Amino acid sequence: MLAFEDSTVTVDEPKSARLEARTKPSVKDAISRAATLNGVEVSSFVVSAAYREAQTTINAHKVTSLESEADRAAFFGALENPPKPVKRLRQAFALREKLIVNAD
């Protein structure tokens, strides 16, 4: 049996926020069974798993991976010589100025 590792243990703040979810009975049963097999409450099991996945997702979005030389050349070329904004982009910025009071 794998040991349960609470991924939220390093978060040093009180447990004051609530999280609720609706799911199918078979999904709930599987989660409950897994929590029981790990010897923890369902809420601890769910929050820990969701937090771990959230951290993975957030970290994946922090990284831009340019695997090929062509990708790197295109990316850095666009940074060094950005294309002029097309009409739709200029329109979008103009609309943003109208809609957002403190746009800049």
Side-chain angles (χ1 to χ4, degrees):
M1 174 172 61
L2 298 173
F4 177 75
E5 185 177 324
D6 186 352
S7 59
T8 66
V9 73
T10 59
V11 179
D12 185 26
E13 52 189 29
K15 292 182 179 180
S16 58
R18 295 193 61 77
L19 182 65
E20 296 182 34
R22 291 244 180 249
T23 189
K24 299 172 183 174
S26 61
V27 172
K28 182 179 183 273
D29 291 344
I31 292 169
S32 296
R33 182 172 182 209
T36 299
L37 290 169
N38 277 291
V40 297
E41 293 181 7
V42 170
S43 62
S44 294
F45 183 82
V46 169
V47 169
S48 183
Y51 183 69
R52 188 171 43 253
E53 192 62 30
Q55 294 298 84
T56 299
T57 300
I58 291 166
N59 288 334
H61 282 82
K62 288 181 180 178
V63 175
T64 299
S65 179
L66 303 170
E67 307 256 338
S68 72
E69 186 58 41
D71 289 344
R72 286 188 288 279
F75 179 78
F76 289 111
L79 286 178
E80 292 171 1
N81 301 305
K84 297 214 183 278
V86 296
K87 182 179 178 182
R88 288 191 68 183
L89 182 58
R90 290 191 305 272
Q91 290 171 339
F93 271 96
L95 180 59
R96 176 180 176 265
E97 291 291 327
K98 288 180 189 176
L99 295 176
I100 300 174
V101 175
N102 298 321
D104 292 318

